[in-house]
Amino acid sequence: MRQNIVLLLATLTLGAAIFLVYMPAASGPFILDDLETIVENPSIQQLWPLVDSDREGGPLNPPDTSPTHGRPLVNLAMAANYHFGGLDPFGYRIVHFVLHFATALLLWALVAETLRLDYFHGKFDTVAGPLAFASAFVWALHPVHTETLLYVTQRTELMMGLFYLATLYLSLRYWAAERTAWRAAYLALASMACTSGMLCKEMMASAPAMVLLYERTFLTGSFRRSLRRSWPLYMGLALAWVPVILLNLDGAKTPGAGFGKGLTAFEWWFTQTKVLFLYLKLAVWPWPLLLHYEIPYEKSLSTAWPWLLAAGSLAIATVVLVWRRSAIGFVAVWVVAVLSPTLVIPLVGETAAERRMYIPLAALVPLLIVAGYWAQQRLTELVARRAGKVPVRRVSLALLSAEIMALGLTFACLTHLHLRAYEDELSLWQDVADHQPNDPLAQLNVGTLLAERGRNSEAVEHLKEAARLAPDPRDSPVCYDELMRYRAHYNLARVLENSGRFNEAIHQYRATLKLRPDDATTHYNLARLLENMNDIQQAEAHYRQAIAADPDFAAAHSNLGILLQSAGRVPEAIESFEAALRSQETMGNCLNLATAYCSVGREPEAIPLLEKSLLLAHTPNELALTGRVKAMLAQLRSQQRVR
């Protein structure tokens, strides 16, 4: 009875800690990809049918533009959220806190069961529960999880993590079950959990292999014996790879992922050796935590060799430890296995992301907790022997409990500080820019977001810095770098134009065209400014280049027509107005063409255009013109009757 009460209090403490730490940010706005995942995702707006080809795909068939594409179970969970709470971010994040709590409970149970295995020869039998709770408590409050919990799109990581641990825990119950019926039930549940994880995120792919390594390390001592003993389990888990293969037959679902993006495989792999040590550093000292990490690519062996040497040394040590069936070796493989998709396959623009440590930390934290307890116990025993006293195990446990509470409080404070960055998207990117002032993406996004809020003078400084810092395409063939430099110059030109600094804006538009000579929108914007500066010849040239790049660019046709009409070149203007109307039927395009027809005596052709323009009037400005159009139409009809 007393044990059950302690267990209940510990569970409530764990849940309360999670909610108290993260609840202040639960009502924050959606950020970044949340727009595509939730707000602009029509497939989550109905729960049934699960797959609907007649409408927008259904919750199990998200659109290609959504980050949940290829992750149907997460999309279904989003649909359930939308059904009960619409677009209120609070409900989505409450679900995240619950999922995180459930994963922490699984970790608690998994660590406790592992420490009681014969592998440890009874060393931790009496303290398995407290050590497991300490592991779950520290892991749950680790600040590195902030992005995963508050960035709603990362439900992919949360749900995958829950099913990853569930797969291993249910496999452990399968091995421990004595009755055939129970073994069959746990086999089915483990296979279902593994398959569910695969439908949430591709990083689940390593789960079957990690279950096999767990059994070999802690239970059988041999891969052969493990396969012979548990082959039904591994067949069930292996079948979970089938949906991953089917979902990715047409290529990677994550935008920007894959080779052929201007970055060689070796450049990515060299860089990821450095990233691996960043992840290990964040596991121990999680500060600063950033939405984006600016990590220069290691492009040659001459600069990457220190990281390669360090990573190679770790790899050799891991192989030796795995060969010796060391728990440390298992943890090392776990970390690399979960991270392996992003360590191996390039994801240009996101070299590192703290959310990727969600499940790797579930192995690292228990290892550090148990190792800390073991070292403290040895030290306590040594001190007791020197003092001529009998060592008391409770002393080590009490000290560890105090240290765990202090660590949990520290993590809670760090997380609380980091929550301020999640007030909105601007504060998130400003936080990145404050810690990484040489990050061009951070400067670009801060400048863009400031411009959207009308803070143009501040925006200009950040966008200028982004344009300065962005890699030159001549030096960097990475497609993402070219896009970032293009956006920096283009956005800077727009802000300068809105600020009335037209000469500077023209200079930035020209810089943009050096990067993308066939960009129709830039040619159009540059033409407008040149026309306002009375450089008619250059304006006409850029309007025509905009049309050459996009023949259906209605605004470019229309503006070119107005320019030509002002220059007295009415026949050419009529051709442009006709092209504009073919591309887009609007009141303005109808009126432009009707006016041009009237100027050359083609009034009968103008009348139907004026009639159509009245039907197309929708906006307040257009509706205000209807009186003048009706008067013009009446005059033309009167003239036609007289004739």
Side-chain angles (χ1 to χ4, degrees), residues 467-515:
R468 184 184 69 83
L469 293 169
D472 192 316
R474 292 170 294 184
D475 302 325
S476 174
V478 181
C479 58
Y480 179 79
D481 290 339
E482 186 273 336
L483 173 62
M484 182 163 51
R485 192 173 183 86
Y486 160 79
R487 287 181 58 205
H489 283 291
Y490 181 82
N491 290 2
L492 177 56
R494 295 290 294 159
V495 175
L496 289 168
E497 180 183 347
N498 292 335
S499 302
R501 298 161 65 174
F502 301 127
N503 287 325
E504 294 175 79
I506 289 172
H507 175 73
Q508 292 302 323
Y509 280 132
R510 293 192 187 280
T512 304
L513 288 173
K514 289 180 181 178
L515 297 168

Side-chain angles (χ1 to χ4, degrees), residues 188-378:
L189 289 172
S191 301
M192 288 173 59
C194 194
T195 303
S196 299
M198 300 287 186
L199 296 175
C200 294
K201 196 167 188 178
E202 299 83 351
M203 290 175 75
M204 184 75 186
S206 61
M210 290 312 304
V211 172
L212 176 60
L213 182 61
Y214 182 97
E215 185 179 13
R216 181 261 183 189
T217 301
F218 297 109
L219 297 174
T220 65
S222 164
F223 287 118
R224 180 178 298 178
R225 281 196 293 272
S226 297
L227 290 169
R228 187 181 302 150
R229 173 185 182 227
S230 307
W231 65 266
L233 173 65
Y234 296 115
M235 285 190 65
L237 298 182
L239 288 174
W241 281 321
V242 173
V244 174
I245 296 171
L246 293 176
L247 287 170
N248 289 275
L249 282 176
D250 57 345
K253 302 301 180 185
T254 304
F259 298 96
K261 307 289 184 180
L263 190 70
T264 68
F266 285 105
E267 288 172 347
W268 181 260
W269 296 337
F270 288 170
T271 306
Q272 287 302 301
T273 58
K274 180 166 60 175
V275 170
L276 181 61
F277 286 96
L278 169 66
Y279 288 148
L280 295 177
K281 174 260 178 186
L282 290 177
V284 178
W285 183 248
W287 195 265
L289 294 171
L290 304 173
L291 183 69
H292 178 262
Y293 291 90
E294 175 62 15
I295 302 174
Y297 293 118
E298 297 291 342
K299 297 189 175 183
S300 68
L301 188 61
S302 61
T303 59
W305 72 265
W307 301 106
L308 290 170
L309 181 62
S313 300
L314 281 181
I316 293 171
T318 299
V319 170
V320 172
L321 291 169
V322 169
W323 182 262
R324 294 181 177 179
R325 295 180 59 205
S326 168
I328 299 175
F330 173 80
V331 169
V333 173
W334 173 289
V335 171
V336 175
V338 177
L339 291 172
S340 59
T342 55
L343 294 177
V344 175
I345 301 174
L347 184 56
V348 177
E350 196 172 58
T351 311
E354 61 193 48
R355 62 179 177 273
R356 296 172 189 163
M357 285 299 290
Y358 189 69
I359 286 302
L361 270 180
L364 281 172
V365 169
L367 174 65
L368 295 174
I369 296 293
V370 174
Y373 170 76
W374 179 85
Q376 195 161 268
Q377 187 181 11
R378 298 285 81 78

